[in-house]
C-alpha cells in the first residue's frame, strides 16, 4: 500500500489527510528546488514519523515517479493531438495583484514575467512545467496560436515576457476586448521545476479600468469560473494576508464553484506584509486558524515571496525564495512572544510547504484518476485502431482498380436514380432550402429575361422554391407565357412595298396574302428563335442544378439509413469527372433541343408550310392548359395575384385576338398603295385558291389594299405560326428532348464517359495529385497517435498493478 493511503487511514477528513500527505511528501518527492527548510526541522515528530516510513516507501516513491512520468507523457500527447483527457491540473485564482503570477514563477524556479510595466494577466496562461534534469537553463516553448505545434525554445526570460505580452496585445486588439478566454500555452522544461501543469488566470476586479469595457469584471469572473469548473482541476485560491476573511471579496465566488473546498487549496499570499502585526502567540495562532471562516477542515497556506524585483540570476531567485521562507519562520519563532503552534501550523507556512503539497496533491489526484484514465485510454486506443484500419482500407482501395470500378459504378447509378426521382417529383432534400424561385433561377443562371419581352414574365408559383420536374414544368409555362406576350412587330411601309412590288415585277406576283405571310414568317424566325434558345438554356439550368441535389440525397440516405451506399467521399477527381460528365450530358441535350426546336421553327416558317392557310382551329393554350397549371403560391400583393392567372387579360402572356392587337397599330392612310389595286387583287384571286384566314378581309383588299391591312394579315399569320409551333411541336419536343434522355440515356452516357476507358485512364480520376500523400500523412499521424496512446496505455496498465 502506498504511503498516501497509509496516512489517509490515520485521518478522518480528506482535507487533513491532504495536509498530512504534504507533510510526509518530503521523503519521496524530490524536486530539486526543494528548500532545506524541512530538512532543518527533521527533528519534528512529523518528520521523524516520515523518516521511519522512508525505507518502506522507496518502492512506492518510484511508482509515484512512474505515475508522474506516465501522466506527463499523456499530457504531452493530449496537448499535441488535441485529446480531451481529464488530466488533473491546477488553476490559480484570485483578485488582481494577489500574487498568482509570482507564485507561478516561484514554482517554475525562475522569473519569466519580468517587465518594467506590470500589465496584469489578460489571457489564461497554461504553464506546463516539465522537470528535465538535463535542462540546466529553462527551455520555454509556446504553442502556436492555432496549431498543436510548439515554437523553438526561448531561452531569455525577457523574451518569454515579451511573447506573453505581444500575444496578449495582438489577440485583444483583434477581439476588441479587455480580456480573452483563449489561453496562451507555454511549456517549460527545467531541471529546477516540478512536473506540474498550472493555469494562471486574469485576476478578479471590482471595476473596469479606465478605457476598458464596463463588462470586464463579469467577463473575468465567468471566464475564471469556466476554467475552474472541470472537476479534475485543483483550485489554488490566493488572497492577500492584509485582507480579513470576513471581508474577502472573492471567497463566495470560489464557494460557488467548489462549495466545500473539496478541491480548493487556499493560499494567503504576501504573508510578509502581515507579520509585523503579531506580537503574542495567541494572535498568530488565531490568525493561522483562519478563525473558522473556511470551515473546520480547510486550512490555508501562508506564503511570502521575494519582493525584490531587481534582475537576479535564477539561482539567486531560488535562494531568495528559500530565504524568505526561513525569514518568515524565524520571525514567527523569535519575534513573536511564545512563538506559534508549530505542531499545528508549521506545515502550512512557507512556499516550500505549499509546493510540496501541490506536488503531492497532484500525485494523489493522478493516482485517483488512473483507473478512469486507463479506461479512457483503452477506449481511445481502440478508436484510433479503428480509424487506422479504415484509413488502411482507404489507401488500399486507391490502387484496387476493380474495387474502384465497382464502387464508382454503384455510385453513378445511385446518382442517376436520384436524378430520376427528382425529375419525377420529390420533396427530399427540403425544397425550401434547395429549391429556387423563378427570380433566383433567372439571376443564378445569368440568362436574364426573355429576349424581346420587355415585361417581366411571372409564371404561376414563381415565388415558390421548386426544383426538378416541377421547376422544369414551371419554366415551360413561363416560356409559353413569354411567347404569347409578344406581337408581330410593325413592319415599315418600305418593307411592305418592297415585297409587294417585287412580286408584281415578277409578273403574276403572289399577292398581298403571301406578302403578309412572308412578313409573319420572317418575324416569327427572328422573334421566336432566340426565345427557343433561351427556353433550352433555362431548362438546362434547372436540370444542371439537380446534380448537387442528387449528391445530397445520396449522402443523406447514406447517413440516415446506414444502408450500404457507396459515398466515394474524398475521391475528388472522380466527383469532378462525374459532375463534368453530367454537365456535358445536359449541355449536349440543350444543344440537341435547340436544333430540334429550331427545326420545328424552320418548318412552320417555311414557305412550303400550309400553316398560314389552315383553317383548323387550334385550341388556344390558355384554354387547354390554364386549368392544369395550378397556382399554388400564396398571393399577397395585387400584382402577384395577377401573375399569369389564366384569365382573359393575361393568360398566357398576352393572348389576344390579333385583330385586337392590330388595333394598337395606328392606322394611317397608305400613301404608298400599289397603283394597280385590281391587279394585285385579281392576281391573288386567280393564283391562290388556298383558304385563307383573312378571306374575310378580301372585300377590303379588293376595294384597296392598305398598308394597315397587310400588317393585320401578317399579325394573324404570326399568331397562327406561334400557336402551331408552341402547341403542336415545341412543348412535346422539349419534354422528350430533355427529360426522356435524362431518364433513359443518362447512365449509359455517364458510364461511357467514366468507365469506358482503359484502367490507366480510369485511375487518373483517383490519383489526384497529392491525395495519396494526404492519406499517407494522415495515416502516419494516426500511427504516431496510436503508438503514443499504446505506450501510455501500457504505462498506465503497469501503474494500475502497483496501485
Ligand atoms: N510583499 C510582497 N509582494 C508580493 C508578494 N507576491 C507578489 N508580490 C507583488 O505583488 C504584485 C502583484 O503580483 P502578481 O504576481 O503580478 O499578481 P497577480 O495576481 O498575478 O496579478 P494579476 O495577474 O494582475 O491578477 C507584484 O508587484 C509582486 O511583486 C509577496 O509575497 N510579498
Amino acid at each position: 500500500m502506498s504511503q498516501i493511503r497509509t496516512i489517509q487511514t490515520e485521518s478522518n477528513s480528506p482535507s487533513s489527510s491532504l495536509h498530512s500527505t504534504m507533510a510526509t511528501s518530503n521523503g519521496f518527492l524530490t524536486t530539486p528546488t526543494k528548500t532545506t527548510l524541512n530538512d532543518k526541522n527533521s527533528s519534528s515528530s512529523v518528520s521523524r514519523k516520515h523518516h521511519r516510513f522512508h525505507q518502506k516507501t522507496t518502492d512506492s516513491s518510484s511508482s509515484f515517479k512512474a505515475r508522474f512520468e506516465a501522466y506527463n507523457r499523456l499530457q504531452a500527447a493530449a496537448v499535441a493531438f488535441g485529446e480531451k483527457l481529464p488530466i488533473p491540473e491546477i488553476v490559480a485564482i484570485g483578485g488582481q495583484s494577489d500574487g498568482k503570477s509570482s507564485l507561478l514563477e516561484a514554482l517554475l524556479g525562475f522569473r519569466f514575467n519580468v517587465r518594467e510595466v506590470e500589465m496584469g494577466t489578460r489571457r489564461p496562461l497554461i504553464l506546463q512545467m516539465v522537470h528535465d534534469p538535463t535542462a540546466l537553463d529553462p527551455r520555454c516553448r509556446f504553442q502556436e496560436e492555432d496549431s498543436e505545434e510548439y515554437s523553438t525554445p526561448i531561452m531569455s526570460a525577457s523574451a518569454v515576457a515579451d511573447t506573453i505580452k505581444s500575444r496578449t496585445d495582438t489577440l485583444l486588439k483583434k477581439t476588441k476586448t479587455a480580456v480573452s478566454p483563449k489561453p496562451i500555452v507555454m511549456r517549460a522544461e527545467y531541471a529546477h521545476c516540478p512536473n506540474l501543469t498550472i493555469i494562471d488566470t486574469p485576476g478578479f476586479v471590482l471595476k473596469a479600468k479606465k478605457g476598458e469595457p464596463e463588462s470586464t469584471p463579469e467577463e473575468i469572473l465567468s471566464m475564471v469560473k469556466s476554467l475552474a469548473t472541470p472537476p479534475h482541476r485543483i483550485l489554488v485560491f490566493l488572497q492577500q494576508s492584509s485582507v480579513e476573511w470576513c471581508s474577502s471579496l472573492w471567497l463566495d465566488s470560489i464557494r460557488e464553484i467548489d462549495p466545500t473546498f473539496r478541491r480548493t487549496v487556499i493560499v494567503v499570499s504576501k504573508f510578509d506584509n502581515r507579520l509585523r502585526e503579531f506580537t503574542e502567540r495567541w494572535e498568530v495562532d488565531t490568525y493561522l486558524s483562519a478563525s473558522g471562516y473556511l470551515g473546520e477542515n480547510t486550512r490555508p497556506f501562508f506564503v511570502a515571496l521575494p519582493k525584490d524585483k531587481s534582475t537576479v540570476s535564477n539561482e539567486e531567485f531560488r535562494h531568495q525564495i528559500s530565504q524568505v521562507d526561513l525569514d518568515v519562520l524565524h520571525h514567527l519563532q523569535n519575534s513573536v512572544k511564545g512563538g506559534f503552534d508549530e505542531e499545528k501550523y508549521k506545515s502550512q507556512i512557507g512556499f516550500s510547504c505549499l509546493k510540496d503539497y501541490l506536488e503531492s496533491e497532484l500525485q494523489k489526484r493522478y493516482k485517483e484518476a488512473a483507473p478512469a484514465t486507463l479506461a479512457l485510454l483503452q477506449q481511445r486506443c481502440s478508436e484510433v485502431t479503428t480509424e487506422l484500419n479504415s484509413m488502411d482500407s482507404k489507401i488500399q482501395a486507391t490502387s484496387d482498380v476493380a474495387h474502384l470500378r465497382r464502387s464508382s459504378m454503384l455510385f453513378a447509378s445511385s446518382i442517376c436514380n436520384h436524378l430520376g426521382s427528382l425529375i419525377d417529383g420529390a420533396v427530399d432534400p427540403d425544397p425550401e432550402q434547395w429549391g429556387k424561385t423563378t427570380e433566383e433561377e433567372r439571376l443564378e443562371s445569368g440568362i436574364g429575361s426573355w429576349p424581346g419581352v420587355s415585361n417581366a414574365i411571372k409564371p404561376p408559383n414563381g415565388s415558390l422554391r421548386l426544383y426538378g420536374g416541377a421547376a422544369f414544368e414551371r419554366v415551360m409555362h413561363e416560356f409559353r407565357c413569354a411567347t404569347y406576350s409578344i406581337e408581330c412587330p410593325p413592319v415599315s411601309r418600305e418593307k411592305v412595298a418592297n415585297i409587294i412590288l417585287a412580286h408584281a415585277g415578277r409578273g403574276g406576283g403572289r399577292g398581298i396574302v403571301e406578302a403578309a405571310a412572308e412578313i409573319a414568317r420572317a418575324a416569327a424566325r427572328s422573334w421566336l428563335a432566340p426565345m427557343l434558345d433561351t427556353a433550352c438554356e433555362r431548362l438546362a439550368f434547372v436540370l444542371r442544378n439537380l446534380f448537387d441535389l442528387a449528391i445530397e440525397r445520396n449522402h443523406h440516405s447514406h447517413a440516415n439509413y446506414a444502408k450500404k451506399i457507396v459515398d466515394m467521399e474524398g475521391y475528388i477527381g472522380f466527383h469532378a469527372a462525374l459532375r463534368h460528365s453530367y454537365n456535358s450530358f445536359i449541355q449536349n441535350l440543350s444543344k440537341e433541343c435547340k436544333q430540334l426546336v429550331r427545326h420545328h421553327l424552320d418548318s412552320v416558317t417555311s414557305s412550303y408550310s400550309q400553316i398560314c392557310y389552315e383553317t383548323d382551329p387550334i385550341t388556344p393554350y390558355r384554354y387547354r392548359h390554364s386549368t392544369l397549371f395550378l397556382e399554388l403560391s400564396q398571393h399577397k400583393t395585387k400584382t402577384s395575384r395577377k401573375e399569369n392567372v389564366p384569365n382573359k387579360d393575361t393568360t398566357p402572356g398576352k393572348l389576344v385576338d390579333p385583330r385586337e392587337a392590330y388595333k394598337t397599330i395606328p392606322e394611317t392612310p397608305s400613301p404608298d398603295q400599289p397603283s394597280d389595286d385590281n391587279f394585285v387583287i385579281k392576281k391573288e384571286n386567280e393564283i391562290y385558291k388556298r383558304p385563307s384566314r383573312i378571306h374575310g378581309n378580301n372585300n377590303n383588299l379588293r376595294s384597296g389594299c392598305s398598308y394597315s391591312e397587310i400588317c393585320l394579315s401578317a399579325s394573324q399569320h404570326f399568331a397562327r405560326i406561334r400557336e402551331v409551333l408552341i402547341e403542336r411541336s415545341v412543348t412535346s419536343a422539349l419534354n422528350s428532348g430533355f427529360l426522356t434522355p435524362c431518364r433513359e440515356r443518362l447512365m449509359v452516357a455517364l458510364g461511357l464517359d467514366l468507365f469506358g476507358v482503359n484502367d490507366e485512364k480510369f485511375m487518373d480520376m483517383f490519383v489526384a495529385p497529392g491525395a495519396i500523400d494526404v492519406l499517407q500523412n494522415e495515416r502516419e499521424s494516426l500511427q504516431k497517435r496510436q503508438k503514443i496512446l499504446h505506450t501510455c496505455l501500457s504505462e498506465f496498465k503497469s501503474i494500475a498493478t502497483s496501485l
Side-chain angles (χ1 to χ4, degrees):
M1 187 183 271
S2 72
Q3 188 176 5
I4 282 189
R5 201 171 281 179
T6 313
I7 303 295
Q8 275 174 341
T9 55
E10 294 175 0
S11 166
N12 292 333
S13 85
S15 178
S16 59
S17 82
L18 298 183
H19 290 271
S20 310
T21 309
M22 178 275 299
T24 63
S25 63
N26 296 340
F28 46 84
L29 289 177
T30 51
T31 304
T33 44
K34 196 185 303 302
T35 65
T36 53
L37 184 70
N38 294 314
D39 299 336
K40 273 180 90 182
N41 294 287
S42 58
S43 58
S44 75
S45 62
V46 175
S47 296
R48 268 202 305 279
K49 193 161 78 180
H50 298 160
H51 188 72
R52 279 204 302 279
F53 277 118
H54 187 84
Q55 273 313 100
K56 285 190 204 164
T57 56
T58 313
D59 290 344
S60 319
S61 79
S62 68
S63 85
F64 279 155
K65 196 159 167 46
R67 190 181 308 127
F68 217 77
E69 277 166 11
Y71 268 107
N72 210 13
R73 241 188 299 278
L74 189 60
Q75 196 156 45
V79 173
F81 297 120
E83 295 277 357
K84 289 248 175 302
L85 297 171
I87 299 164
E89 288 156 340
I90 295 169
V91 193
I93 302 173
Q96 194 168 37
S97 299
D98 281 352
K100 299 175 293 297
S101 305
S102 304
L103 182 68
L104 244 73
E105 286 179 332
L107 285 166
L108 197 52
F110 82 100
R111 299 189 72 177
F112 62 90
N113 232 353
V114 199
R115 276 183 246 113
E116 276 166 26
V117 185
E118 290 280 339
M119 156 176 88
T121 309
R122 287 322 205 191
R123 285 177 67 180
L125 172 72
I126 300 182
L127 181 52
Q128 299 167 322
M129 299 179 207
V130 179
H131 172 63
D132 179 354
T134 65
L136 298 178
D137 286 313
R139 284 193 300 254
C140 296
R141 296 167 210 266
F142 284 89
Q143 196 172 24
E144 301 299 341
E145 286 282 30
D146 290 304
S147 116
E148 290 161 10
E149 300 294 316
Y150 281 76
S151 67
T152 46
I154 297 175
M155 304 305 274
S156 104
S158 61
V160 171
D162 289 344
T163 308
I164 294 173
K165 187 175 173 350
S166 74
R167 284 197 177 199
T168 304
D169 287 346
T170 310
L171 185 72
L172 296 185
K173 215 180 237 172
K174 216 157 90 184
T175 56
K176 296 193 175 73
T177 49
V179 284
S180 164
K182 192 171 187 223
I184 295 173
V185 182
M186 184 173 113
R187 180 181 170 88
E189 295 150 352
Y190 195 26
H192 301 282
C193 75
N195 285 301
L196 256 182
T197 290
I198 185 158
I199 304 168
D200 190 13
T201 63
F204 298 130
V205 286
L206 281 176
K207 239 184 128 198
K209 263 202 240 164
K210 216 173 155 202
E212 282 182 354
E214 294 263 304
S215 58
T216 305
E218 290 90 73
E219 270 176 47
I220 293 179
L221 194 64
S222 81
M223 179 209 306
V224 173
K225 273 188 181 169
S226 75
L227 281 168
T229 301
H232 61 275
R233 289 190 168 157
I234 302 168
L235 318 184
V236 172
F237 171 54
L238 287 91
Q239 180 169 283
Q240 293 193 38
S241 62
S242 50
V243 179
E244 300 302 333
W245 286 114
C246 58
S247 49
S248 168
L249 287 172
W250 310 115
L251 195 61
D252 286 343
S253 304
I254 304 301
R255 276 211 174 95
E256 278 172 31
I257 305 165
D258 182 22
T260 57
F261 299 133
R262 194 184 56 80
R263 55 188 181 95
T264 303
V265 179
I266 293 180
V267 176
V268 174
S269 62
K270 306 187 186 178
F271 190 40
D272 50 321
N273 290 341
R274 186 83 192 213
L275 285 180
R276 261 163 294 279
E277 290 183 20
F278 306 126
T279 46
E280 302 279 338
R281 180 184 168 119
W282 67 268
E283 287 173 317
V284 186
D285 288 347
T286 311
Y287 180 78
L288 296 177
S289 72
S291 325
Y293 261 98
L294 305 174
E296 270 306 295
N297 297 323
T298 310
R299 294 161 70 186
F301 283 88
F302 300 87
V303 172
L305 290 170
K307 46 186 169 192
D308 178 16
K309 287 199 172 176
S310 60
T311 318
V312 290
S313 70
N314 295 335
E315 208 180 332
E316 177 59 24
F317 175 58
R318 289 192 298 277
H319 175 72
Q320 283 179 359
I321 294 172
S322 313
Q323 193 55 48
V324 172
D325 268 2
L326 286 174
D327 291 347
V328 168
L329 263 189
H330 189 258
H331 182 91
L332 290 175
Q333 284 162 343
N334 303 319
S335 307
V336 176
K337 214 159 131 196
F340 71 104
D341 187 344
E342 293 197 29
E343 182 94 24
K344 212 165 171 188
Y345 300 117
K346 193 174 160 212
S347 56
Q348 290 159 245
I349 294 170
F351 166 76
S352 67
C353 289
L354 174 66
K355 180 169 149 260
D356 287 351
Y357 174 72
L358 289 178
E359 280 188 75
S360 68
E361 179 61 6
L362 209 56
Q363 287 278 19
K364 185 174 150 278
R365 301 270 167 161
Y366 283 166
K367 191 179 165 186
E368 283 169 0
T373 313
L374 183 64
L376 201 65
L377 271 174
Q378 270 163 338
Q379 187 193 328
R380 290 297 298 127
C381 279
S382 65
E383 281 167 7
V384 169
T385 307
T386 315
E387 276 178 58
L388 203 59
N389 288 342
S390 104
M391 185 60 70
D392 277 343
S393 44
K394 258 190 193 172
I395 291 173
Q396 209 188 348
T398 57
S399 53
D400 183 346
V401 185
H403 169 87
L404 283 174
R405 278 189 182 272
R406 199 170 44 244
S407 43
S408 52
M409 273 182 196
L410 276 174
F411 184 80
S413 140
S414 167
I415 294 297
C416 286
N417 287 339
H418 286 302
L419 284 163
S421 308
L422 290 164
I423 288 171
D424 290 344
V427 289
D428 160 38
D430 184 2
E432 277 179 57
Q433 190 190 344
W434 292 83
K436 292 185 202 308
T437 62
T438 292
E439 191 57 30
E440 284 166 347
E441 272 174 19
R442 274 188 208 135
L443 287 173
E444 289 174 32
S445 65
I447 295 167
S449 55
W450 295 93
V453 179
S454 51
N455 298 338
I457 303 294
K458 292 180 177 172
N461 306 312
S463 58
L464 295 183
R465 292 179 188 281
L466 304 181
Y467 58 61
F472 189 92
E473 187 49 36
R474 186 176 59 189
V475 171
M476 289 291 283
H477 189 83
E478 191 187 335
F479 161 66
R480 289 182 196 115
C481 292
T483 51
Y484 281 101
S485 76
I486 54 169
E487 295 162 22
C488 183
V491 187
S492 70
R493 286 171 192 282
E494 278 75 12
K495 278 184 185 163
V496 172
N498 268 287
I499 293 169
I500 291 177
L501 293 176
H503 283 305
R506 267 187 246 134
R510 295 156 70 193
I512 58 162
V513 172
E514 190 58 16
E518 210 162 304
I519 289 167
R521 285 185 201 117
R525 272 193 297 270
S526 70
W527 287 81
L528 297 179
M531 292 185 90
L532 291 171
D533 282 358
T534 302
C536 291
E537 281 160 24
R538 285 282 305 275
L539 293 171
F541 177 77
V542 166
L543 293 177
R544 245 197 326 271
N545 280 339
L546 292 186
F547 187 79
D548 283 334
L549 277 83
I551 295 277
E552 173 66 15
R553 266 173 77 95
N554 191 59
H555 190 69
H556 206 236
S557 41
H558 182 61
N560 261 6
Y561 310 113
K563 276 192 208 154
K564 246 195 143 234
I565 298 165
V566 208
D567 205 353
M568 302 299 284
E569 206 178 319
Y571 290 120
I572 296 166
F574 169 72
H575 276 274
L578 183 62
R579 182 183 290 265
H580 179 255
S581 177
Y582 176 73
N583 283 346
S584 309
F585 179 78
I586 299 295
Q587 190 65 30
N588 283 340
L589 286 187
S590 172
K591 225 191 254 163
E592 283 168 19
C593 282
K594 275 184 192 171
Q595 280 168 1
L596 188 69
V597 291
R598 191 61 82 91
H599 172 76
H600 286 297
L601 178 65
D602 288 346
S603 153
V604 292
T605 55
S606 150
S607 55
Y608 296 104
S609 167
Q610 303 293 308
I611 283 163
C612 293
Y613 319 107
E614 280 175 3
T615 46
D616 308 352
I618 296 171
T619 314
Y621 172 75
R622 60 175 164 167
Y623 300 121
R624 290 202 291 123
H625 291 269
S626 59
T627 48
L628 291 180
F629 207 84
L630 302 171
E631 170 59 79
L632 298 169
S633 53
Q634 277 184 325
H635 294 295
K636 290 192 178 97
T637 61
K638 213 174 158 193
T639 356
S640 65
R641 201 175 301 123
K642 280 188 170 176
E643 279 176 24
N644 308 299
V645 173
N647 64 28
K648 207 177 167 189
D649 296 327
T650 53
T651 304
K654 194 179 172 189
L655 183 62
V656 291
D657 184 329
R659 268 159 290 200
E660 278 174 43
Y662 174 69
K663 279 179 195 159
T664 60
I665 301 169
E667 192 166 342
T668 48
S670 168
D672 305 324
Q673 277 181 17
S675 55
D676 188 355
D677 288 355
N678 291 336
F679 167 79
V680 176
I681 298 161
K682 198 175 153 226
K683 289 288 171 193
E684 189 208 357
N685 288 340
E686 274 176 15
I687 294 169
Y688 296 101
K689 302 289 182 231
R690 293 170 182 167
S692 165
R693 285 190 76 197
I694 55 168
H695 274 175
N697 292 334
N698 277 355
N699 291 337
N700 292 339
L701 292 172
R702 224 183 292 275
S703 63
C705 175
S706 69
Y707 162 72
S708 53
E709 282 161 347
I710 289 180
C711 285
L712 166 66
S713 176
S715 179
Q716 287 173 324
H717 285 321
F718 179 82
R720 176 88 181 158
I721 290 170
R722 175 176 60 190
E723 281 190 21
V724 169
L725 181 72
I726 306 301
E727 308 308 335
R728 283 199 191 153
S729 46
V730 166
T731 309
S732 60
L734 289 176
N735 270 310
S736 60
F738 274 112
L739 300 183
T740 312
C742 279
R743 289 196 187 96
E744 294 173 3
R745 268 174 32 208
L746 178 61
M747 185 57 210
V748 176
L750 297 181
L752 281 174
D753 262 10
L754 303 173
F755 313 118
V757 291
N758 63 21
D759 283 353
E760 199 185 338
K761 189 134 196 298
F762 175 78
M763 288 306 282
D764 279 352
M765 290 188 289
F766 298 90
V767 275
I772 304 232
D773 290 349
V774 171
L775 288 177
Q776 290 287 10
N777 286 346
E778 257 180 65
R779 188 180 182 279
E780 265 171 41
S781 94
L782 267 176
Q783 235 173 354
K784 232 193 248 170
R785 183 186 285 217
Q786 189 194 39
K787 203 172 152 204
I788 290 175
L789 283 171
H790 272 291
T791 314
C792 292
L793 181 65
S794 54
E795 269 179 304
F796 270 85
K797 269 186 182 157
S798 61
I799 285 167
T801 56
S802 66
L803 282 176

